[in-house]
Amino acid sequence: MLRITASTSSEGAKRYFGGSLTRSDYYIDGQEIAGHWGGEGAARLGLDGEIDQRSYFSLCDNLRPDTGEQLTPRSKDKRRVGYDFTFSVPKTVSVLYELSGDERILDAFRQSVQETMEQLESEMKTRVRVAGKDEDRITGNLAWAEFIHFTSRPVDGVPDPHLHAHCFAFNTTYDAEEGRWKAGQFGDIKRDATYYEAAFDARLAYRLKALGYHAERDKSYSFEIAGLPESMVDRFSRRRNQIEQEAADLGVTDAAGKHRIGGYGREHKAVDKSKTELREEWRSRLSPEECEALRRVMRGESGGGSTVGPAKALRYALAHSFERASTLSEKRVKAEALRHGAGAFLPEALDNTPWDSDVLKREVDGQMFVTSRDILREESKMLRFARDGRACYAPFAANAQLVATITGEQRAAALHVLRSRDWVAGVRGGAGTGKTRMMKATIDAIENDGKTKVFVFAPTSQASRGVLKAEGFESATTTEQLLSDEAYQEQVKGQVLWIDEAGMLGCRDMARLFELAQRQNCRVILSGDYRQHAAVGRGDAFRLLESEAGVQFAELRRIYRQKDARYKKAVEALSKGTARDTATGFALLERMGAIVEAQGEERHRQLVDDYMQALRSKRTALVIAPTHREGDQLTADIREAMKESGRLSRDEHVFLSCAPLHWTEAQRADARQYEAGHVVQFTQGAIGFKRGEKVTVVRQRNGTVNVTREGGREATLPLDQAARFQVYGTHEIGVSRGDTIRITRNGYIGSQGRKPKERLNNGATYTVAGFTARGDLRLSNGWIVPKEYGHLTHGYVDTSQASQGKTADRVFIAVGDDSLKAANRAGWYVAVSRGREQVRVYTEDVEALKAAVQKSSDRLSATEMMHAPARPTLRIPPARLAQERHRRLAHLRAYSPDIGGASSGPATWRDRVAGPSIYGETGHVR
């Protein structure tokens, strides 16, 4: 594992590592190794070998160790002193090293740390701000202080094995072009931390394999030593277990909160025991079975280990990655390949492996991105359909009186659709702008001729069979049903397909939709908002149709949902979708008292109190958390409060809950992913298995997965047909009378007293009225859900994605420190805009939240990647814009002949993150 932490305090850096420079007894007793200098920057400063305190403290104070002069030009209070790169081995490696006494493991660790630090050092940069330049330049040098530690903080005076290294890199690098020391630019290194972590793990696992210790990938995408039981990991993780227990007692669920607990609650390192004494203490904890397992591993009898080569790992990484992204950074793909290889090869072997000829590469803003010809062709075909479909139909209707029931923007949007002569038309409407009302009026006008019928769809069950049906669109269903049901496709022949929430439709499904529309001669109307959540699958199709194909969408801006003027103004700012407007909206929310800062369990307590007050006031309430982890903790808190108030019975029935693991097809085809207890359900029939059949994993071994079927029969899972099933983890949940439950997978059930089956839609919520004598769930509408159904959970907290399309009187949003990584502009806008009367946000750090929600959620498309500039920005006359557009189109056609004419759409992905593009009116070409 690699953790990168910035240090903004010289005194803090001195305190944290200074003790390691003076406690000689640590070195004597073997609990630490004397610190050593590393990096070409250190060598340039004349620093080599063991670290001395004077030199280390000088660098902390931004002074040259040899002369005492100021090192970099700027020296200020709270300057960024450096970055702590902490490399930690898996727990089984720490245990194996200490209990086997094999010093070669330490050598393998130190070499892996050294090579990874040298690799990231080679990409070190500094900012260039001379002669009018505004860019970064690679310097390729760093100075770091390396400290090797062998133990964790003690529990009851005794530490556990924990082999780790701190490489404290000072915020300085030598710029040979300017001939001076300057501050480093660490942003790209932090951005690529996932790759460097995977590279370190791969190096260490590879070297351990050479020593006879086989690595196997674990659930966290790192690795553990094959043959050492999980009980050993738990036995030597007392500090981790202590922190987890303290966090549970305090109601802390996020990693940052647990890290703080680990900091303020830890004991001082003990120095009264030597390494020999500690090893004797550790060995005494082992059971006879664990001792035997350790002996087998030391004799090389554990077996296991990955045999995946670099070429196969790279193919896996591409298949896995491109299922949900059109483009990825080259380093992200390599990190996935290294994790898949689990130590079967070194990073250098992957660097020397040729990529498939289908892969395209291009540098974007100093970062190498990759895509595939197939993805580019898919986007091109989709865009060409929209371009070629201009002015090829008669208008739906021209009579404005057909939409006389609506006014203003809504009427203008309806007329835009009705008078369109294009194959693809549509409306872009922000949250709460009355899009549904406009839809109804427009559809009525289209169907006024008595010949044309409009079929309404949405990408998700909740949006289609939930929200749209509740709004009066009785026949609404999912886009996937349309795309997969041939009988349904015949029904829509020659008619109109209206896709709501089109921003959640990926490029692959949009391309499939357009193919169907062309085959069945259907016109397409799209409505949605690409500033809200995008598709889970690859590509932001709705945005691309506007920005790259020039589809002219009508726009709804006026917000009707929010009743409070200040609240409405904040949502209006967020709806504009830029970082600046998001900051403005955030400030407005702060001024109206909607942002609550509180720590630990107090944060959730305030939210729960406000939620219960909303229920007492008979107001509808929606609770949103960005991550399932925070949502689970909030659910427990809400249910406890409801039990105390008498709204829930304290008598609970236990049910098995199947949580989707959201694996890609590549992951589902990899036997190493599976664990005993996983549930597999077939979405389509496969060889030997029926559609809808549910089986349970009993074991995985030697590339095969064995499952048990109904009746206890054992079978082999057909991994080569991974597209036909989904995989679920399982856990138990308690359900009480009065509980709200959410369905997590589409299914059918029988209803009490009636023969027809009732449909349970993914995302739908129900109230539990009680339980049958058999233990099944009885819902308040009379339906009976068998206790074996499995695909249900508590329905009190939504993720931001699940909340899209919903509306409530009051909205309560929890964003703990651990949830910040899941926050972005789109999720923030969606969550905040759900309320009519009130929104409140509960966070541990207002400033950190403000920074997190300004991050763009836009994804670079293959088309935009190939448009990316290969040269600095130049100023050119506006008259050359058309000529430059033609040049870029010709460049794209060299990769994909399917690409059609140029776009006249609005700003593209690059514009929103980096300024104007060729499609703007500023006269800039990049």
Side-chain angles (χ1 to χ4, degrees):
M1 188 179 85
L2 170 62
R3 180 170 184 160
I4 305 174
T5 308
S7 172
T8 57
S9 165
S10 173
E11 292 306 312
K14 291 176 183 178
R15 282 196 306 272
Y16 196 82
F17 294 110
S20 295
L21 302 175
T22 58
R23 290 197 294 265
S24 60
D25 51 344
Y26 265 46
Y27 316 140
I28 295 170
D29 292 337
Q31 292 188 33
E32 293 181 7
I33 292 178
H36 284 75
W37 293 110
E40 292 185 16
R44 184 178 285 274
L45 288 168
L47 302 173
D48 190 22
E50 286 193 18
I51 300 170
D52 64 282
Q53 188 183 77
R54 184 188 62 80
S55 298
Y56 175 82
F57 281 18
S58 293
L59 288 178
C60 287
D61 292 330
N62 195 30
L63 301 174
R64 288 188 64 112
D66 51 354
T67 66
E69 297 174 346
Q70 184 169 310
L71 188 60
T72 65
R74 295 182 180 179
S75 192
K76 58 183 181 180
D77 292 339
K78 294 186 177 180
R79 61 178 285 273
R80 193 150 290 180
V81 178
Y83 289 82
D84 176 16
F85 292 78
T86 306
F87 295 87
S88 299
V89 304
K91 180 59 74 172
T92 50
V93 177
S94 292
V95 172
L96 178 64
Y97 167 64
E98 295 296 353
L99 300 187
S100 69
D102 189 346
E103 294 299 325
R104 298 176 302 167
I105 296 174
L106 177 60
D107 293 338
F109 168 65
R110 298 194 69 178
Q111 189 174 353
S112 300
V113 170
Q114 178 71 17
E115 290 178 4
T116 306
M117 286 299 297
E118 288 174 352
Q119 183 181 16
L120 63 85
E121 178 188 34
S122 70
E123 300 190 24
M124 188 60 201
K125 298 176 181 177
T126 190
R127 292 177 177 175
V128 178
R129 301 293 186 268
V130 297
K133 294 182 179 179
D134 185 5
E135 59 190 24
D136 293 337
R137 176 162 56 223
I138 291 180
T139 59
N141 64 83
L142 271 175
W144 69 82
E146 179 198 67
F147 303 96
I148 304 290
H149 299 171
F150 297 102
T151 60
S152 63
R153 290 283 172 172
V155 175
D156 298 329
V158 180
D160 284 334
H162 178 39
L163 177 58
H164 61 288
H166 293 278
C167 294
F168 189 81
F170 293 93
N171 185 18
T172 185
T173 186
Y174 186 76
D175 186 343
E177 291 290 320
E178 298 180 26
R180 60 176 180 155
W181 290 92
K182 297 165 60 179
Q185 179 69 304
F186 286 81
D188 289 354
I189 290 175
K190 288 200 71 176
R191 178 198 66 201
D192 295 330
T194 299
Y195 167 74
Y196 294 117
E197 178 181 75
F200 164 71
D201 284 344
R203 290 184 171 106
L204 179 59
Y206 183 86
R207 291 192 169 92
L208 292 174
K209 181 180 179 181
L211 299 178
Y213 307 119
H214 298 287
E216 55 185 8
R217 196 176 61 184
D218 69 358
K219 289 180 267 189
S220 67
Y221 290 98
S222 182
F223 71 93
E224 296 288 356
I225 298 297
L228 293 182
E230 192 171 334
S231 61
M232 292 181 69
V233 174
D234 190 62
R235 196 178 300 280
F236 292 101
S237 302
R238 294 180 306 145
R239 179 61 183 149
R240 180 203 67 187
N241 297 339
Q242 185 185 57
I243 293 171
E244 291 289 345
Q245 183 58 56
E246 290 181 37
D249 293 342
L250 294 171
V252 175
T253 60
D254 59 279
K258 293 175 183 177
H259 185 64
R260 285 194 294 271
I261 291 172
Y264 66 67
R266 63 188 181 184
E267 300 176 27
H268 292 295
K269 283 197 172 183
V271 295
D272 58 337
K273 290 190 177 183
S274 67
K275 177 66 74 70
T276 301
E277 291 172 319
L278 283 174
R279 285 178 170 174
E280 289 177 357
E281 156 72 22
W282 292 330
R283 287 192 185 101
S284 70
R285 298 185 198 169
L286 297 180
S287 69
E289 294 77 16
E290 289 167 341
C291 287
E292 179 56 30
L294 177 63
R295 283 192 289 267
R296 286 197 301 269
V297 169
M298 292 170 61
R299 293 195 299 263
E301 298 174 0
S302 62
S306 174
T307 58
V308 176
K312 185 176 179 180
L314 196 55
R315 286 194 296 272
Y316 167 88
L318 290 168
H320 166 68
S321 301
F322 285 150
E323 183 169 320
R324 294 174 184 165
S326 299
T327 64
L328 285 123
S329 74
E330 184 181 42
K331 278 191 167 65
R332 283 282 300 276
V333 176
K334 285 184 174 180
E336 196 62 50
L338 289 170
R339 287 168 168 170
H340 187 68
F345 52 86
L346 290 169
E348 291 73 23
L350 192 63
D351 293 339
N352 296 325
T353 300
W355 295 62
D356 291 343
S357 59
D358 184 55
V359 174
L360 302 173
K361 295 185 181 183
R362 192 166 179 84
E363 188 174 297
V364 180
D365 293 336
Q367 188 176 10
M368 186 62 70
F369 278 82
V370 298
T371 189
S372 75
R373 294 179 190 273
D374 284 344
I375 293 174
L376 184 60
R377 205 171 288 119
E378 173 184 272
E379 290 182 5
S380 303
K381 193 172 182 179
M382 177 189 76
L383 297 173
R384 187 177 67 174
F385 175 87
R387 292 190 188 108
D388 292 351
R390 292 172 180 166
C392 63
Y393 280 92
F396 289 109
N399 186 358
Q401 291 304 309
L402 291 174
V403 288
T405 58
I406 53 178
T407 60
E409 275 185 350
Q410 293 183 355
R411 190 164 186 259
L415 290 174
H416 172 84
V417 172
L418 293 175
R419 293 170 178 173
S420 173
R421 300 180 61 235
D422 299 342
W423 211 329
V424 180
V427 178
R428 178 158 54 82
T433 55
K435 180 165 52 68
T436 303
R437 186 164 180 260
M438 180 277 304
M439 275 180 66
K440 288 179 179 178
T442 308
I443 290 172
D444 288 344
I446 294 173
E447 295 182 336
N448 185 65
D449 64 3
K451 300 177 183 178
T452 307
K453 182 171 176 58
V454 180
F455 291 82
V456 181
F457 306 90
T460 66
S461 293
Q462 178 61 22
S464 57
R465 303 180 187 119
V467 175
L468 285 174
K469 282 195 174 184
E471 295 287 351
F473 300 98
E474 290 297 327
S475 61
T477 188
T478 62
T479 314
E480 183 56 36
Q481 181 172 349
L482 169 66
L483 296 174
S484 59
D485 189 331
E486 293 183 4
Y488 205 105
Q489 292 169 15
E490 286 301 313
Q491 292 181 41
V492 303
K493 192 169 186 176
Q495 303 302 323
V496 180
L497 311 177
W498 190 306
I499 314 298
D500 193 33
E501 296 290 359
M504 300 180 75
L505 205 62
C507 286
R508 179 164 47 186
D509 286 340
M510 189 72 80
R512 292 169 63 199
L513 175 71
F514 286 173
E515 287 177 8
L516 170 65
Q518 189 169 32
R519 188 170 65 249
Q520 300 294 76
N521 190 29
C522 299
R523 293 184 71 176
V524 179
I525 302 172
L526 305 173
S527 60
D529 183 9
Y530 52 67
R531 294 189 181 103
Q532 298 185 53
H533 285 296
V536 174
R538 65 172 176 253
D540 302 339
F542 191 46
R543 177 177 62 80
L544 280 179
L545 288 170
E546 188 175 38
S547 66
E548 300 294 330
V551 175
Q552 298 298 313
F553 292 119
E555 185 170 7
L556 299 173
R557 295 187 182 91
R558 184 180 177 186
I559 295 173
Y560 296 91
R561 180 179 294 160
Q562 281 75 44
K563 307 305 180 185
D564 182 277
R566 298 177 302 166
Y567 186 8
K568 180 183 292 188
K569 191 173 181 181
V571 173
E572 285 173 347
L574 299 179
S575 71
K576 296 176 183 177
T578 68
R580 178 178 295 178
D581 290 313
T582 300
T584 299
F586 193 99
L588 290 169
L589 291 170
E590 279 190 289
R591 283 202 287 273
M592 59 184 274
I595 311 291
V596 178
E597 188 175 67
Q599 307 300 318
E601 61 183 0
E602 175 62 19
R603 182 171 60 89
H604 280 188
R605 188 193 64 76
Q606 289 192 40
L607 187 154
V608 172
D609 287 348
D610 290 342
Y611 174 78
M612 296 301 294
Q613 177 59 41
L615 296 186
R616 287 192 292 270
S617 302
K618 300 189 182 303
R619 294 291 190 269
T620 57
L622 184 63
V623 181
I624 300 172
T627 62
H628 289 293
R629 174 180 290 183
E630 179 149 25
D632 290 344
Q633 182 60 51
L634 259 177
T635 294
D637 294 341
I638 289 171
R639 293 185 73 243
E640 183 58 33
M642 293 183 73
K643 288 175 182 178
E644 289 179 0
S645 69
R647 290 176 178 268
L648 277 188
S649 166
R650 287 198 173 273
D651 181 28
E652 288 194 342
H653 291 238
V654 176
F655 290 83
L656 187 70
S657 176
C658 297
L661 296 177
H662 302 297
W663 289 351
T664 63
E665 184 177 342
Q667 288 176 306
R668 298 195 299 273
D670 182 3
R672 297 175 303 169
Q673 291 281 135
Y674 293 84
E675 296 177 359
H678 280 163
V679 170
V680 178
Q681 189 153 14
F682 286 82
T683 55
Q684 304 174 54
I687 297 175
F689 296 87
K690 299 179 296 183
R691 178 181 178 179
E693 184 173 358
K694 192 188 297 183
V695 297
T696 303
V697 174
V698 290
R699 77 181 71 83
Q700 67 88 2
R701 187 183 300 154
N702 300 326
T704 62
V705 177
N706 284 37
V707 297
T708 53
R709 308 178 69 175
E710 188 176 352
R713 292 176 297 137
E714 196 165 305
T716 301
L717 189 66
L719 297 177
D720 59 343
Q721 299 182 67
R724 296 174 176 268
F725 58 78
Q726 293 294 333
V727 187
Y728 302 84
T730 60
H731 62 281
E732 292 182 339
I733 62 170
V735 179
S736 302
R737 181 172 46 80
D739 252 325
T740 299
I741 61 164
R742 178 182 294 110
I743 304 303
T744 58
R745 186 182 187 276
N746 296 332
Y748 290 91
I749 58 169
S751 59
Q752 190 175 33
R754 291 183 293 172
K755 291 183 180 179
K757 288 186 175 181
E758 301 289 355
R759 183 184 183 102
L760 293 174
N761 292 316
N762 184 14
T765 57
Y766 301 94
T767 301
V768 177
F771 306 91
T772 68
R774 180 179 177 272
D776 299 331
L777 279 170
R778 179 183 289 111
L779 306 182
S780 59
N781 62 1
W783 294 359
I784 303 297
V785 180
K787 61 183 179 181
E788 300 88 1
Y789 185 76
H791 299 288
L792 53 84
T793 188
H794 294 117
Y796 297 99
V797 183
D798 284 287
T799 61
S800 175
Q801 288 89 340
S803 74
Q804 185 160 320
K806 295 183 178 181
T807 303
D809 294 328
R810 300 177 185 178
V811 175
F812 308 108
I813 306 168
V815 192
D817 287 348
D818 201 37
S819 295
L820 290 175
K821 61 181 179 294
N824 56 45
R825 275 183 236 162
W828 179 245
Y829 169 41
V830 169
V832 169
S833 62
R834 297 305 94 197
R836 296 187 191 95
E837 302 173 357
Q838 181 190 52
V839 62
R840 297 199 84 189
V841 184
Y842 309 79
T843 183
E844 293 175 285
D845 188 332
V846 171
E847 291 304 313
L849 176 62
K850 185 186 300 184
V853 300
Q854 292 182 57
K855 294 182 298 186
S856 173
S857 56
D858 287 348
R859 301 179 292 183
L860 181 67
S861 71
T863 304
E864 290 162 332
M865 187 191 103
M866 299 311 299
H867 280 180
R871 57 182 182 179
T873 301
L874 300 175
R875 180 77 182 180
I876 65 169
R880 282 190 53 203
L881 287 175
Q883 177 184 351
E884 179 62 20
R885 186 180 292 117
H886 177 76
R887 180 193 67 77
R888 287 168 61 165
L889 184 60
H891 174 73
L892 276 178
R893 279 179 174 148
Y895 292 92
S896 179
D898 296 333
I899 295 181
S903 166
S904 58
T908 62
W909 172 87
R910 182 180 169 81
D911 303 328
R912 281 190 289 279
V913 297
S917 79
I918 189 70
Y919 297 125
E921 299 177 354
T922 60
H924 283 80
V925 171
R926 296 183 177 273

